[in-house]
Amino acid sequence: MKFNKHLESIKTYEAGKPIELVVREFGIEPKDIVKLASNENPLGCSQKVQDAVSAIVKNMALYPDDSMIKLKAGLSKRFDVEQKNIIIGSGSDQVIEFIIHAKADENTKVLVNSVTFAMYEIYAKHVGAQIIKTASQEHNLDEFYDLYKKENPSIIFLCTPNNPTGDAIDAADMMSFLEKIDEDTLVVVDGAYMEYAKYADDKKAVEPKELIEKFKNVIYLGTFSKAYGLGGMRTGYGIADELIINELYKLRPPFNITTLSLEAASVALEDEEFVNKSIALNFEQMKRYKEFANEQKLDIIESYTNFVTLCLNQNQNSTKLADDLLRRGMIVRDLAGYGMNAIRVTVGTSEQNDKFFELAKQYL
């Protein structure tokens, strides 16, 4: 049987291992497993969200509101943009898929950072586009511009803060970069962790309204999977000029967001107290990871997210460390697949972090 020839060059995306897998493979009780691999909110989601979702379960026989008016109204108010400038996706990665299929094909190029979210490359390969990567591990906008001038890409992805490293671009530097990009090149600013960056450093704060008012060729992406604690609801969004949104809508399937997801995201957006509490806890606990890295003589990348990247020494091996932790009920992300001898660890609760430090020290 023949398949799309472009699939031959694609390596399946490997998501963070679920707790259920560790239970099956190693016989560890669920209560003894800590998952710090997928950058989920360790506090879960808002109680207001839980109450709201429970109240509408009886309506599951009906299709969701395909206009998504309640969630769009909330996002419109939050970011001071028009509803016509918003598209909702099943996770922001679905919006990424729309973007690739709307703008790229076999004759185009997509420019990404050397270490960044893997789905940019995977979706680009779906359509046979050529991937161009920078040399630097962290976003270097001078490199991006040099490659832009040389390669003339159709799409540029800027992930800030970046996944899986945690570094972020200064907003002023980004605006200067965008001013030099031709209007026919679509620039994607992926702000999945922007709520954390805004809290950590005002200079990293990127505002969607400012982006789309100044640049008609830019789309900003956000998600409810991180700070809002709704990873299981798979809800993300894109904010851009109406022309871009209209083209993406041609690719959006009907009812792509569930009734539960729409309600959860709408209510989560209103509960700022919960989000602020989550972010404050995150950076309070992140200090402990910096102390741990210093004690263990490990490099740690300055993070503006809800995770840290710990870079191991030459006599240590990230894959062995991640496997050793996994067998003892601690799930973290090995970054060997990105060419890094490092692990990415979600910043958890105080108790979860205690367990990570204890187990990691035994290996290190």
Side-chain angles (χ1 to χ4, degrees):
M1 184 181 295
K2 294 182 178 180
F3 294 95
N4 181 340
K5 64 180 182 179
H6 301 310
L7 300 183
E8 297 174 2
S9 63
I10 297 176
K11 182 180 179 181
T12 303
Y13 181 80
E14 194 172 319
K17 291 180 173 59
I19 290 175
E20 293 78 7
L21 181 145
V22 181
V23 172
R24 291 195 306 269
E25 290 196 1
F26 304 112
I28 304 174
E29 291 293 323
K31 65 180 179 63
D32 296 324
I33 299 172
V34 176
K35 184 184 179 188
L36 298 178
S38 299
N39 308 335
E40 296 142 331
N41 189 328
L43 299 184
C45 69
S46 159
Q47 184 61 49
K48 293 180 181 178
V49 171
Q50 297 177 47
D51 295 342
V53 170
S54 297
I56 64 167
V57 168
K58 60 184 179 182
N59 296 325
M60 291 304 96
L62 304 177
Y63 282 109
D65 171 17
D66 200 46
S67 72
M68 308 180 192
I69 189 68
K70 184 177 180 180
L71 180 54
K72 283 187 176 180
L75 289 167
S76 174
K77 180 180 178 182
R78 169 59 57 85
F79 295 112
D80 192 21
V81 298
E82 299 292 327
Q83 292 187 35
K84 64 184 180 182
N85 298 122
I86 302 169
I87 186 169
I88 310 296
S90 180
S92 56
D93 46 337
Q94 186 180 46
V95 184
I96 295 169
E97 183 179 16
F98 296 160
I99 290 167
I100 292 292
H101 283 265
K103 184 68 175 168
D105 58 29
E106 293 180 341
N107 301 311
T108 60
K109 298 175 182 179
V110 175
L111 176 57
V112 302
N113 200 58
S114 65
V115 178
T116 195
F117 185 41
M119 292 309 299
Y120 306 150
E121 180 172 352
I122 290 174
Y123 283 134
K125 286 184 174 180
H126 283 186
V127 299
Q130 183 182 349
I131 303 297
I132 307 298
K133 294 184 179 183
T134 63
S136 299
Q137 178 179 286
E138 299 181 17
H139 280 65
N140 182 317
L141 293 180
D142 289 336
E143 278 187 43
F144 267 90
Y145 185 67
D146 289 343
L147 286 170
Y148 159 74
K149 294 295 290 183
K150 178 182 178 182
E151 302 290 350
N152 189 31
S154 294
I155 305 174
I156 299 173
F157 281 97
L158 300 176
C159 187
T160 181
N162 189 34
N163 178 19
T165 53
D167 59 289
I169 304 169
D170 279 0
D173 293 339
M174 175 182 291
M175 300 302 278
S176 297
F177 171 79
L178 294 174
E179 288 173 356
K180 298 185 290 185
I181 304 302
D182 184 87
E183 287 190 359
D184 194 47
T185 300
L186 180 58
V187 182
V188 183
V189 177
D190 190 343
Y193 299 90
M194 187 54 65
E195 289 84 2
Y196 296 96
K198 286 181 179 179
Y199 181 95
D201 187 346
D202 288 343
K203 291 186 296 183
K204 309 296 183 182
V206 176
E207 296 297 338
K209 181 182 181 180
E210 184 180 9
L211 279 181
I212 69 171
E213 285 183 347
K214 288 189 175 181
F215 307 105
K216 302 298 184 184
N217 61 324
V218 175
I219 181 168
Y220 176 91
L221 304 182
T223 182
F224 288 91
S225 296
K226 308 305 177 184
Y228 293 94
L230 295 178
M233 289 297 185
R234 307 302 299 122
T235 310
Y237 55 90
I239 300 176
D241 183 77
E242 186 179 6
L243 175 63
I244 295 175
I245 298 298
N246 289 343
E247 291 301 306
L248 299 186
Y249 254 89
K250 296 176 183 178
L251 294 158
R252 187 188 73 89
F255 311 115
N256 63 317
I257 306 298
T258 70
T259 299
L260 294 180
S261 298
L262 287 171
E263 182 68 9
S266 298
V267 175
L269 198 59
E270 298 171 357
D271 194 350
E272 294 185 39
E273 182 180 351
F274 172 79
V275 175
N276 292 336
K277 175 184 175 182
S278 299
I279 295 174
L281 170 70
N282 174 77
F283 285 106
E284 178 184 319
Q285 289 294 312
M286 190 180 288
K287 296 175 184 176
R288 301 179 63 201
Y289 279 87
K290 294 179 180 179
E291 293 170 0
F292 173 79
N294 185 55
E295 291 171 2
Q296 298 297 319
K297 295 181 172 54
L298 302 176
D299 288 333
I300 183 171
I301 297 175
E302 186 70 24
S303 177
Y304 297 89
T305 66
N306 64 341
F307 62 84
V308 295
T309 299
L310 297 171
C311 303
L312 276 59
N313 300 319
Q314 290 183 344
N315 60 337
Q316 299 163 335
N317 184 289
S318 64
T319 301
K320 290 182 179 179
L321 171 56
D323 185 63
D324 180 78
L325 292 172
L326 184 67
R327 293 173 182 277
R328 291 187 286 165
M330 173 63 62
I331 311 173
V332 300
R333 194 63 182 260
D334 176 25
L335 299 184
Y338 290 89
M340 300 175 65
N341 184 29
I343 59 170
R344 189 190 69 190
V345 188
T346 305
V347 177
T349 63
S350 178
E351 293 77 13
Q352 290 173 329
N353 298 329
D354 284 343
K355 185 169 183 178
F356 169 78
F357 298 141
E358 176 188 350
L359 296 179
K361 281 180 182 178
Q362 292 174 19
Y363 173 86
L364 294 171

